[in-house]
Amino acid sequence: MQIKTLINLGADGHSFAAISRIKLTNIIALITTVISGLYSLNYWLLLDNSTVALINFGFTLAYFATLAFMLSGHVSGAKTWFFSVLMVHLLICTNVYVTNQSGFHLYYFLVPTGAFLLFELHQRREMMALSAASVGLFLYCENTLNLNPLIELDTATNHLLYQSVVLVNMIEVVFVLTIFARQIEANEKQLTLQASTDSLTGLANRHCFFAKGNELLEQSNKLGQTLSVVLLDFDYFKSINDRYGHVVGDLCLVEISKEINAICREQDLFARIGGEEFVIAMPNTSQTQAQQVAERMRERVSKHIIPIVGESNFTCTASFGVASSNKKQALKELLQQADKALYMAKDQGRNCVQLYSAS
């Protein structure tokens, strides 16, 4: 099984934020499994202590079992299992393998941080329970002396081990906080994308159009350039939905939006602002230039074949209204002018381009 497959165990069917936490849990479980396995080999080959090696190998298998929980769909159980195994392992390391002078119990500090990072916000009970357990076990290990450790270490070795535990704790805290910051950033980007994108076509939505469109209009006014707006609406779209169903209607919107987007320039803002209504804001474009582009779009739309499985393919048409800014005016006013031109196109028999004229 590939590493990527192991990391994605249990991630299907969850939200973006939950998937990030699940993947991070799997990564930490895999890393801990590898580290625990290396310790088992160290106890067996270097320290020649088969008893400790066998006990530690059992914990290695227990860490790997976290992935089995994930595979079965028990995400919360997998996280609880991992932290429970970790805390018991630290207890055994401190009070059976060696003594508290080794500092192994300092790893309990990572449990609250890890729990709050990996569990969902609504799982406060699990977070608090694991955090409380880690504090209790830390205090127990701190105040309990193991008089008969399975591995005897001298003072210098204990001191070195203690320092290494403190160093690893610091590194892991920085590592966890870095991951947490990246996760927040990724979530913010995802939310921003969802808030500004039309879920069906992938184009900018109405909110995004007015936000970015106003910026384009303001910039055009400052530079003394003309901003043109092309408003388009599908002809007889209701009849398409009534005849073929809404699934085909959605397919028609997606297909046509791709055809139009192929003509748009990089600086143009193409958005879906209604059911079958789309708009393109064209910076530094005169009304005549916008009309020519709209005519190309109209022709391309009318010739594009919409594929339907099991039925005859069909084509559809769209009507276009064009308006251009010739003074400092609001984007809403410019869109209203394009809307009037669009209604003129509908009155002229549809499948045509009309320019807005104040007269």
Side-chain angles (χ1 to χ4, degrees):
M1 186 178 293
Q2 296 180 351
I3 297 298
K4 186 176 180 180
T5 303
L6 293 175
I7 292 175
N8 287 303
L9 287 177
D12 293 338
H14 292 273
S15 66
F16 176 77
I19 289 174
S20 298
R21 290 186 173 94
I22 291 171
K23 289 182 178 180
L24 184 56
T25 302
N26 292 337
I27 290 172
I28 293 175
L30 283 171
I31 293 174
T32 308
T33 300
V34 172
I35 293 174
S36 181
L38 292 175
Y39 267 109
S40 299
L41 292 175
N42 176 64
Y43 295 140
W44 179 36
L45 299 176
L46 299 181
L47 298 179
D48 195 25
N49 194 320
S50 58
T51 301
V52 174
L54 186 60
I55 296 173
N56 208 77
F57 183 70
F59 282 105
T60 302
L61 295 178
Y63 287 127
F64 191 75
T66 302
L67 301 176
F69 279 101
M70 287 291 191
L71 181 62
S72 62
H74 300 292
V75 175
S76 179
K79 297 173 183 179
T80 303
W81 169 263
F82 173 79
F83 283 111
S84 299
V85 171
L86 176 63
M87 289 190 290
V88 173
H89 194 189
L90 294 177
L91 179 66
I92 298 298
C93 287
T94 307
N95 289 77
V96 177
Y97 295 174
V98 289
T99 67
N100 56 13
Q101 295 179 351
S102 64
F104 271 116
H105 59 298
L106 297 180
Y107 282 121
Y108 281 118
F109 292 153
L110 297 177
V111 174
T113 305
F116 277 84
L117 175 65
L118 298 180
F119 279 92
E120 302 295 325
L121 293 177
H122 66 272
Q123 297 175 316
R124 294 183 180 87
R125 184 171 58 183
E126 289 86 345
M127 296 179 190
M128 298 305 299
L130 291 170
S131 299
S134 66
V135 172
L137 289 171
F138 169 77
L139 293 174
Y140 173 79
C141 293
E142 179 71 17
N143 296 282
T144 303
L145 181 62
N146 180 19
L147 299 176
N148 299 300
L150 296 178
I151 302 174
E152 295 283 351
L153 299 175
D154 55 35
T155 303
T157 304
N158 271 323
H159 182 66
L160 182 63
L161 190 59
Y162 191 96
Q163 288 181 323
S164 68
V165 171
V166 173
L167 179 62
V168 171
N169 265 287
M170 294 176 64
I171 293 173
E172 290 193 8
V173 167
V174 173
F175 175 73
V176 168
L177 290 178
T178 300
I179 292 177
F180 188 65
R182 287 182 178 179
Q183 181 175 312
I184 291 177
E185 184 179 354
N187 289 344
E188 288 179 348
K189 288 182 179 179
Q190 183 74 8
L191 289 173
T192 301
L193 182 64
Q194 290 176 349
S196 61
T197 305
D198 175 58
S199 59
L200 177 64
T201 61
L203 301 174
N205 60 16
R206 186 181 185 88
H207 172 76
C208 180
F209 173 76
F210 278 99
K212 292 186 177 181
N214 279 310
E215 293 177 4
L216 291 176
L217 183 58
E218 183 179 351
Q219 184 180 21
S220 296
N221 290 333
K222 285 182 179 180
L223 297 175
Q225 298 175 346
T226 301
L227 176 77
S228 292
V229 169
V230 176
L231 190 65
L232 65 106
D233 188 271
F234 282 72
D235 298 330
Y236 306 110
F237 189 72
K238 185 178 182 301
S239 64
I240 295 176
N241 282 329
D242 292 341
R243 179 177 178 181
Y244 299 103
H246 289 281
V247 173
V248 174
D250 288 346
L251 174 64
C252 186
L253 294 175
V254 173
E255 289 279 321
I256 297 305
S257 64
K258 288 180 181 179
E259 293 299 307
I260 295 174
N261 198 32
I263 297 177
C264 291
R265 303 168 302 179
E266 185 178 351
Q267 64 266 35
D268 294 337
L269 175 60
F270 184 24
R272 181 188 180 196
I273 58 173
E276 66 270 16
E277 197 171 43
F278 296 79
V279 63
I280 307 115
M282 299 179 174
N284 195 22
T285 306
S286 67
Q287 193 174 47
T288 302
Q289 291 171 329
Q291 180 187 21
Q292 293 171 351
V293 175
E295 186 60 39
R296 287 172 53 205
M297 292 176 176
R298 184 203 63 78
E299 185 177 357
R300 186 158 180 166
V301 169
S302 64
K303 292 181 178 179
H304 183 72
I305 298 175
I306 308 299
I308 307 179
V309 178
E311 293 206 30
S312 301
N313 298 333
F314 71 96
T315 59
C316 62
T317 61
S319 300
F320 294 75
V322 181
S324 300
S325 63
N326 51 22
K327 59 181 180 178
K328 291 188 177 181
Q329 58 187 147
L331 180 64
K332 185 177 181 181
E333 182 183 353
L334 190 58
L335 194 61
Q336 288 173 344
Q337 292 176 355
D339 190 50
K340 290 179 181 179
L342 175 61
Y343 272 99
M344 290 171 58
K346 295 285 187 181
D347 290 339
Q348 293 294 326
R350 293 177 169 81
N351 190 24
C352 63
V353 178
Q354 286 294 327
L355 302 180
Y356 171 77
S357 174
S359 60

